[in-house]
Amino acid sequence: MNILIKNINTFNIRENSRLFSILFLFILSQKYASLRYLAISWLIIIIVLGNLKRISREIPVLYFVRMTLYFAIYLLPLLIDCDIILISTSKILPIIIGCAIAIIANILRLVVIKNSVKVMLSKELIADSYKDTMFTLVVRIYNLIGAAVCEELFFREYILSMDIPKLVSFSISVFYFIISHYILIWGGKFKTCDYYNQFMFGSISAMLFLWIGSIIPCLLIHLLYNSLEIIRNIKVIDRHYVHSENYTNYTDCDLCKGKEL
C-alpha cells in the first residue's frame, strides 16, 4: 500500500527544493563564513524570482522591468558583498584557448542535437509561431543575452572567487546553476536530458573559469548556448514583421505556440 498520500495542501518537490537550497547554504555558512552573503543573496533571489509574474506583462514598461529582473537579480551579491573582487584578469592566450574550447563544446552540442535544431528553426515551425508584439520578442532576446551575462557573473565569477575550498565552490556553482532552473515556475517543462545538459554546461563553464581565471570564455559559452533561442526569436520577428510573405506557402503545423514567460 502506498503510504505517501498526494495532498495539494502540502509542498511539492519543487517547493521543498527551494527551501532546502536556502537552508543548505545557511548551514554551510556556519563552516565557511564567506558564504553568509551568498546565503542571504540566494534567499532574496528566490523570493524575487518567485514573485516576478505578479508584474503585468500587458504594460510594456512593466514587462521590460519584469524581464530585466529575471537576470539582474543575480547581480545582487555585488551590492551586498562589497569585499569580493570580481572580473578576474588573465593573459590573452589562455582566454583565446578558453574561447576556442567554448566554441568547440557548442559545435559538438549542435552536432548531437542537430535534428532537434532543424525542427526548432524550420520554416514550418516558424511559420506557425505565435504572433507576439515586436516589443515582446525583442525583450525576450534581451533577456536571453542578459541572463547569459548575469548568471555567469553570479554562478561562476562570484561563487568561484569566494574564499572557500575550490572543490566546495565548484560544487556549489554547478549544483545551484542546475537548481536555479529547476525551482522556477517554468522548470516543470524541463526533461531529464535538460538537467543533464545543464550539469555538463555548468561543469565546463566552472572548469574554464577555474583554469583560465577569466569570465570571458564562460560568457561566450553561455551566449552560444542561448544562441538557438535567440535565433529562433529573430526568425519569428522576420516571419511576422519583416518578410511575412516568405512564409505564406507553409501550412499550419500547430507545433509552435507562444508561452508566457
Side-chain angles (χ1 to χ4, degrees):
M1 184 176 67
N2 187 3
I3 62 173
L4 296 177
I5 301 174
K6 185 176 181 180
N7 191 324
I8 61 173
N9 296 316
T10 59
F11 288 162
N12 59 33
I13 296 177
R14 188 167 288 107
E15 289 165 339
N16 278 309
S17 298
R18 294 188 192 106
L19 295 175
F20 280 111
S21 70
I22 296 168
L23 178 62
F24 180 74
L25 280 179
F26 276 103
I27 292 174
L28 205 59
S29 67
Q30 301 304 305
K31 180 175 178 62
Y32 304 108
S34 59
L35 283 175
R36 64 184 183 275
Y37 294 118
L38 177 61
I40 295 171
S41 298
W42 186 250
L43 171 60
I44 298 173
I45 288 170
I46 294 298
I47 293 173
V48 171
L49 292 179
N51 286 280
L52 282 180
K53 280 200 172 184
R54 297 180 186 275
I55 300 177
S56 172
R57 73 189 301 269
E58 304 303 323
I59 302 174
V61 65
L62 291 181
Y63 184 62
F64 178 80
V65 170
R66 170 171 144 180
M67 296 296 277
T68 299
L69 285 174
Y70 272 125
F71 61 82
I73 189 60
Y74 286 110
L75 298 179
L76 180 64
L78 279 72
L79 303 177
I80 296 179
D81 189 0
C82 299
D83 295 330
I84 195 166
I85 300 175
L86 298 184
I87 310 300
S88 303
T89 57
S90 181
K91 294 181 179 180
I92 187 65
L93 182 58
I95 292 177
I96 293 175
I97 294 174
C99 290
I101 293 174
I103 293 171
I104 292 171
N106 273 280
I107 290 175
L108 292 175
R109 170 176 169 261
L110 291 176
V111 170
V112 172
I113 63 171
K114 62 181 180 180
N115 292 331
S116 297
V117 173
K118 287 180 181 179
V119 174
M120 177 183 179
L121 301 181
S122 66
K123 265 201 169 183
E124 290 82 2
L125 206 64
I126 299 299
D128 196 48
S129 61
Y130 179 79
K131 185 179 181 180
D132 238 321
T133 65
M134 170 75 85
F135 176 80
T136 298
L137 293 169
V138 171
V139 169
R140 286 177 181 169
I141 295 172
Y142 156 77
N143 174 269
L144 287 165
I145 296 173
V149 174
C150 293
E151 286 181 8
E152 289 306 309
L153 286 173
F154 178 75
F155 291 106
R156 255 59 76 177
E157 181 87 46
Y158 177 72
I159 293 178
L160 295 174
S161 296
M162 290 189 297
D163 186 23
I164 57 177
K166 292 308 177 186
L167 181 59
V168 176
S169 63
F170 176 86
S171 301
I172 292 174
S173 172
V174 175
F175 175 73
Y176 277 83
F177 178 72
I178 297 172
I179 204 170
S180 69
H181 294 84
Y182 173 72
I183 61 181
L184 293 177
I185 302 301
W186 55 85
K189 69 180 182 181
F190 283 28
K191 300 178 182 178
T192 302
C193 62
D194 294 317
Y195 294 112
Y196 172 77
N197 290 336
Q198 288 171 357
F199 171 76
M200 294 298 297
F201 171 83
S203 298
I204 293 172
S205 185
M207 286 188 288
L208 279 175
F209 181 82
L210 290 174
W211 175 44
I212 295 171
S214 172
I215 197 65
I216 293 175
C218 305
L219 293 174
L220 177 60
I221 195 173
H222 204 144
L223 286 168
L224 289 173
Y225 189 90
N226 285 359
S227 63
L228 287 179
E229 194 61 33
I230 292 173
I231 293 172
R232 194 190 78 81
N233 278 282
I234 292 175
K235 290 174 74 72
V236 171
I237 291 175
D238 180 70
R239 181 261 181 273
H240 293 293
Y241 295 100
V242 183
H243 298 113
S244 58
E245 68 279 3
N246 294 341
Y247 296 85
T248 55
N249 294 330
Y250 293 88
T251 58
D252 184 357
C253 61
D254 197 30
L255 290 175
C256 185
K257 298 301 180 182
K259 300 294 183 181
E260 181 185 358
L261 181 61

